[in-house]
Amino acid sequence: MDFATVAIFFSSITATTLQFSFQSGDSTISSTIVNLCWFASLVLSIASATNSLLGVLVHQSPEYLRPSHNLDFRFLQNWFKYVPPMLLTISGVLFLVGFCGFTFLPAMSISSQVLIVFLCKSWEKGTDNLISIGKGHSSCHNHFHNH
């Protein structure tokens, strides 16, 4: 559930950012692209959290507690192992693209742009750490390697 927690936390950050951006009422092409990136990021982070939680639920059911050489089992095993991190990574990239675009919108002051660039760089390092934590400690991931 660690990975789902990271994805849900990221979804809440993205939703809040999208809300502030959308409320500005700016209808330029640049702000529309920023909002589209953030909306796509929100959808993918929610999909990542949902897949992660579903993986935990499915693999706690009695049919899947014992390892099997069944093709369906291997497909589910690989799906819940690789898809949630991939979705969250793509979501993070889209969020960062939107955030960088947001930085250079015409309405932003120079001081805000400098602050946002600094936060982007810090966020990039933090995201790499969170994703590696999510990959290494995912409940589904641990479940499969324990059996």
Side-chain angles (χ1 to χ4, degrees), residues 7 10 42 59 76 84 86 102 117 127:
F10 186 70
L42 178 62
H59 294 296
L76 285 176
M86 179 185 64
F102 179 73
V117 168
T127 301

Side-chain angles (χ1 to χ4, degrees), residues 19 41 54 58 78 110:
Q19 180 183 5
S41 174
L54 183 62
V58 164
N78 287 327
I110 296 294

Side-chain angles (χ1 to χ4, degrees), residues 36-95:
L36 285 173
C37 285
W38 285 345
F39 183 75
S41 174
L42 178 62
V43 168
L44 291 175
S45 63
I46 290 171
S48 175
T50 304
N51 271 279
S52 185
L53 291 172
L54 183 62
V56 170
L57 182 68
V58 164
H59 294 296
Q60 288 178 351
S61 65
E63 306 86 56
Y64 292 100
L65 285 178
R66 56 188 180 280
S68 172
H69 297 292
N70 185 349
L71 186 59
D72 292 339
F73 177 78
R74 277 191 263 151
F75 174 76
L76 285 176
Q77 179 182 13
N78 287 327
W79 178 272
F80 292 123
K81 183 177 178 183
Y82 296 114
V83 170
M86 179 185 64
L87 290 173
L88 191 60
T89 301
I90 295 169
S91 174
V93 167
L94 284 169
F95 182 84

Side-chain angles (χ1 to χ4, degrees), residues 15-26 31 34-35 38 102 105:
T16 303
T17 309
L18 182 61
Q19 180 183 5
F20 285 127
S21 174
F22 192 74
Q23 284 178 349
S24 72
D26 190 7
S31 65
V34 167
N35 286 336
W38 285 345
F102 179 73
L105 288 176

Side-chain angles (χ1 to χ4, degrees), residues 101-115:
F102 179 73
T103 303
F104 298 104
L105 288 176
M108 297 297 289
S109 67
I110 296 294
S111 60
S112 297
Q113 289 176 346
V114 170
L115 178 64

